[in-house]
Amino acid sequence: MPTGVHIRDARRQLFDAAERVLLQDGPNALTSRAVTIEAGVAKGVLHRHFPDFDAFLTELVQDRIVRIDDQAAALRESAGTGTVAGNLTGALIDLFDPVAVAIVSLVIFRDELRVRLRRARPAHGIPVLAEATAMLASYLNDECEMGRIAADADVDTLALSLIGAGHLLFAGREDAPPEIGAVDTVVTTVIADVMQRRLL
């Protein structure tokens, strides 16, 4: 790109390019050069907006976490409607889109990125997965208070189980995501006990 040409919303352009590189080539291939080539901009554009490449990656992941925060609000609004299993299944499918799965791999792959993310948003566990777990736990707590799952349900453990199982279902799939029925089977199995005991 010629010097002096204004790039509209360069940050978004760079984030989108990074996501494409992640999807096509994985976290090993994600470099500042790869991102700027994919975005079709000069390498200096990235460094004009971010102090260094890890700062760029930190904001890329935080951008994804903001989406999880938005999803969490929508999921909590669904409490008391539809079915618990259906709401959780939909949440896992929305959460573990190919970009999110690739970003989790990136976070695991880069130590400095994890350090910066934990500094910015202290949380236990792997960033992105930790926020996703908190999202499900909040939703399950709401359903517990509404009496749709057992009153003594350990919502934190249930959320961990759902995120762990969900990540395993979606990770490493290069052809297509799992079918809705497969996700629903896992969800139904994980919450079966607390669904049955609410009736006792």
Side-chain angles (χ1 to χ4, degrees):
M1 170 159 292
T3 303
V5 175
H6 177 68
I7 302 169
R8 189 175 180 185
D9 199 2
R11 294 165 69 90
R12 181 79 261 158
Q13 187 175 343
L14 291 166
F15 286 165
D16 290 345
E19 291 179 356
R20 290 193 299 273
V21 172
L22 267 175
L23 288 178
Q24 293 161 12
D25 303 311
N28 280 321
L30 194 62
T31 63
S32 59
R33 181 172 177 79
V35 171
T36 53
I37 288 173
E38 179 66 29
V41 299
K43 188 172 181 179
V45 171
L46 190 147
H47 295 288
R48 195 174 308 135
H49 292 274
F50 304 93
D52 56 43
F53 191 55
D54 279 313
F56 167 75
L57 294 178
T58 300
E59 292 203 31
L60 172 69
V61 177
Q62 288 178 325
D63 181 67
R64 176 58 53 161
I65 290 172
V66 167
R67 296 186 202 186
I68 293 173
D69 292 342
D70 293 341
Q71 185 185 353
L75 181 60
R76 291 192 72 177
E77 286 180 10
S78 74
T81 67
T83 66
V84 176
N87 292 339
L88 289 168
T89 297
L92 289 177
I93 290 170
D94 290 344
L95 175 67
F96 288 117
D97 66 29
V99 172
V101 173
I103 284 178
V104 169
S105 297
L106 175 69
V107 171
I108 293 170
F109 176 72
R110 294 184 72 103
D111 294 339
E112 176 61 22
L113 176 57
R114 282 197 310 281
V115 169
R116 292 191 187 204
L117 287 166
R118 285 177 176 149
R119 196 178 302 142
R121 293 178 67 123
H124 296 293
I126 297 169
V128 176
L129 294 181
E131 286 79 10
T133 301
M135 172 185 76
L136 295 192
S138 294
Y139 164 75
L140 287 165
N141 188 63
D142 289 347
E143 292 288 19
C144 188
E145 291 179 356
M146 293 178 183
R148 300 219 302 168
I149 62 175
D152 62 348
D154 183 345
V155 297
D156 292 329
T157 299
L158 284 172
L160 276 171
S161 300
L162 288 163
I163 291 300
H167 186 239
L168 287 172
L169 268 179
F170 284 86
R173 300 180 70 100
E174 297 180 1
D175 47 358
E179 294 182 358
I180 294 176
V183 182
D184 181 70
T185 296
V186 168
V187 169
T188 302
T189 301
V190 170
I191 67 172
D193 177 64
V194 294
M195 293 300 295
Q196 291 168 358
R197 287 193 295 107
R198 85 189 192 282
L199 302 172
L200 300 179

